[in-house]
Structure formats: structure tokens, C-alpha cells
């Protein structure tokens, strides 16, 4: 009965490198959300995905950031050419909400990936 | 626009004291959901409670209680007889039913409980 899994838990990159963050939702959950938490701040929504679809990416920076949730495998948040300002904790959450369903289901969060850009 | 305000940045109490964390929200929707999450020093986010806008009944779970008042757009969280293990950052969040369920978080309140 595993919860949301994220790896790696800690990631160190040098400026200009790529960062790949992985998220495996809870069993039975088909909806994934990514949030970013900058130091000493609250969480900010980045993107909402269902299997093979991006539903809402209104919180994603326009450049260098991308996300996917393939039919098989974990969701990936990819940051290209990282800069120091990308240093943050990145949280993934999942929920079982069905497409078209009215009820809002709770989002359960993973432990986060702490990205440090040197 | 949707907004969540947690005016208390940091609160310090001594064990066994009661403490209330404030949360004020803004939304244009009549149907919405409010949440509280706990972030202990280890960094993960722990779900505490979800409340929809139609249910204004207060809720109690052990030492935790929540007071939802639509008239003042507040959803306050009280810990009774606080313990050192309650030390954490607590986030209040809002989601609107017509939206894609994304959560709008407050900036959090850091609670320190001293022995």
C-alpha cells in the first residue's frame, strides 16, 4: 500500500545541466500534480497531468520546463539548462479523481525532490 | 482571484498550550474546498483535512479541531494540548470545483512547540 513515490530525494546539478524528477502515483491514481516550493515559501502549482495528457500547465515556466505522464511508467518533470533559481523542493501529488467526475478527491503528496543547483 | 492568507508566519508555544493557526481565503466560486497540510522537519507533506464549502460544521479529530466560517472566509485550525511532535509548518490550501483541482497554498505557519 505504497504512497506517492518520488526519486531522487536529493539531486545536485551544475548550472546548464538537465534535471529529471520522477513521480510514481499511488496505486489506482491516474492524476498527477507537480508543485514547487521555493525556500521559505509555500507551494506553487506547476502542472496537472493525466495519463498521456497535460490538463493544466498554467503554472509551468514558459521555457526549460516540461512534464509528461506516459501510459507506462512514472511522471517526469524535466528541467533543461538549470539555473540557480531552480533550486527548490519539487513535490508530486496524486489523486484518483475520474475524468468528468464531480467529486474532488484529496491530493496525496510524495516526499519531494530537493534540487540544488550549484 | 483565489488567494489564501496565513498571516502568522511563526508561532512558539510551550507544551500543553492550545494554539490556533489562522487561515483566510478569497474565492469567487460558491463551491470550493479547503485543506490543511502539515510539513514536519523531515519535509514531506501530510494531509490533515479536507472540507467542502457546503459543510460548515466544525470538525474534531483527537487534539485537532477546525473552525470553518464562510461569513468571514476563514478556516482556522486549533491544536489542543500541543506536543513537541506538533512542531512543523502548517499549510492551508484552497481548490475550486470548476478548476482543475490545483491547490492554492498559503505561505504557511511555522509552529514550534517547546518542552
Amino acid at each position: 500500500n505504497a504512497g506517492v513515490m518520488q526519486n531522487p530525494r536529493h539531486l545536485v546539478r551544475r548550472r546548464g545541466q538537465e534535471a529529471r524528477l520522477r513521480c510514481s502515483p499511488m496505486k489506482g491514481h491516474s492524476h498527477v500534480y507537480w508543485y514547487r516550493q521555493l525556500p521559505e515559501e509555500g507551494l506553487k502549482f506547476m502542472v496537472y497531468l493525466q495519463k498521456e495528457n497535460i490538463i493544466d500547465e498554467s503554472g509551468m515556466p514558459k521555457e526549460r520546463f516540461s512534464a509528461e505522464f506516459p501510459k507506462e511508467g512514472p511522471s517526469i518533470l524535466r528541467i533543461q539548462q538549470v539555473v540557480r533559481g531552480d533550486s527548490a523542493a519539487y513535490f508530486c501529488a496524486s489523486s484518483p479523481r475520474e475524468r468528468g467526475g464531480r467529486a474532488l478527491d484529496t491530493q496525496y503528496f510524495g516526499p519531494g525532490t530537493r534540487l540544488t543547483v550549484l | 482571484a483565489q488567494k489564501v492568507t496565513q498571516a502568522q508566519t511563526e508561532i512558539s508555544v510551550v507544551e500543553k498550550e492550545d494554539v490556533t493557526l489562522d487561515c483566510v481565503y478569497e474565492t469567487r466560486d460558491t463551491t470550493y474546498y479547503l485543506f490543511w497540510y502539515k510539513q514536519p522537519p523531515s519535509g514531506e507533506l501530510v494531509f490533515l483535512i479536507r472540507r467542502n464549502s457546503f459543510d460548515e460544521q466544525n470538525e474534531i479529530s483527537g487534539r485537532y479541531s477546525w473552525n470553518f466560517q464562510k461569513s468571514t472566509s476563514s478556516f482556522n485550525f486549533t491544536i489542543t494540548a500541543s506536543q513537541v511532535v506538533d512542531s512543523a509548518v502548517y499549510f492551508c490550501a484552497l481548490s475550486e470545483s470548476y478548476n482543475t483541482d490545483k491547490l492554492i497554498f498559503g505561505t504557511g505557519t511555522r509552529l514550534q512547540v517547546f518542552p
Side-chain angles (χ1 to χ4, degrees):
Chain A
N1 195 17
V4 178
M5 298 175 68
Q6 289 188 250
N7 66 81
R9 294 291 306 276
H10 300 274
L11 182 62
V12 179
R13 285 287 179 266
R14 296 190 180 280
R15 280 179 297 171
Q17 291 183 320
E18 178 179 286
R20 280 187 178 235
L21 288 62
R22 295 174 188 78
C23 169
S24 296
M26 285 178 73
K27 188 175 181 181
H29 289 192
S30 57
H31 302 254
V32 165
Y33 308 77
W34 286 93
Y35 294 82
R36 177 165 65 174
Q37 184 180 28
L38 293 171
E40 304 301 321
E41 292 188 13
L43 282 78
K44 301 280 192 230
F45 168 79
M46 299 180 75
V47 62
Y48 164 38
L49 311 102
Q50 295 176 18
K51 286 283 188 182
E52 300 184 280
N53 284 308
I54 296 175
I55 307 302
D56 180 356
E57 55 182 347
S58 58
M60 286 280 269
K62 295 288 184 255
E63 297 177 348
R64 301 187 298 107
F65 284 72
S66 62
E68 62 177 6
F69 190 14
K71 189 176 179 181
E72 301 290 338
S75 175
I76 307 285
L77 179 67
R78 183 182 177 204
I79 311 173
Q80 295 178 288
Q81 299 175 338
V82 296
V83 301
R84 288 220 172 106
D86 296 333
S87 295
Y90 292 83
F91 287 92
C92 167
S94 73
S95 78
R97 185 177 191 230
E98 295 301 318
R99 185 190 297 272
R102 289 185 180 182
L104 172 66
D105 282 294
T106 301
Q107 293 177 30
Y108 294 92
F109 283 79
T113 293
R114 275 137 188 94
L115 172 66
T116 301
V117 179
L118 301 177
Chain B
Q2 317 115 19
K3 185 179 178 183
V4 176
T5 301
Q6 295 180 256
Q8 304 151 307
T9 306
E10 188 162 342
I11 301 175
S12 295
V13 299
V14 178
E15 247 188 335
K16 298 183 182 175
E17 283 186 26
D18 299 347
V19 59
T20 296
L21 310 182
D22 297 333
C23 173
V24 175
Y25 61 91
E26 294 176 31
T27 177
R28 58 190 172 190
D29 201 8
T30 55
T31 302
Y32 51 89
Y33 301 83
L34 295 162
F35 301 79
W36 276 93
Y37 286 87
K38 173 182 180 180
Q39 187 175 41
S42 49
E44 74 274 22
L45 274 166
V46 179
F47 165 73
L48 294 178
I49 190 172
R50 179 184 96 196
R51 176 52 53 89
N52 73 56
S53 52
F54 298 117
D55 183 2
E56 286 194 72
Q57 279 193 348
N58 292 332
E59 180 151 344
I60 298 174
S61 175
R63 296 184 297 107
Y64 294 171
S65 61
W66 290 269
N67 183 353
F68 176 32
Q69 300 218 346
K70 283 178 84 168
S71 59
T72 56
S73 297
S74 65
F75 186 42
N76 297 337
F77 172 32
T78 297
I79 302 175
T80 303
S82 58
Q83 300 176 0
V84 173
V85 293
D86 296 327
S87 297
V89 180
Y90 291 86
F91 290 100
C92 180
L94 163 73
S95 181
E96 293 173 338
S97 63
Y98 69 85
N99 214 327
T100 55
D101 305 344
K102 64 184 179 187
L103 294 173
I104 310 297
F105 281 85
T107 50
T109 297
R110 181 178 300 277
L111 173 65
Q112 294 203 331
V113 182
F114 293 98

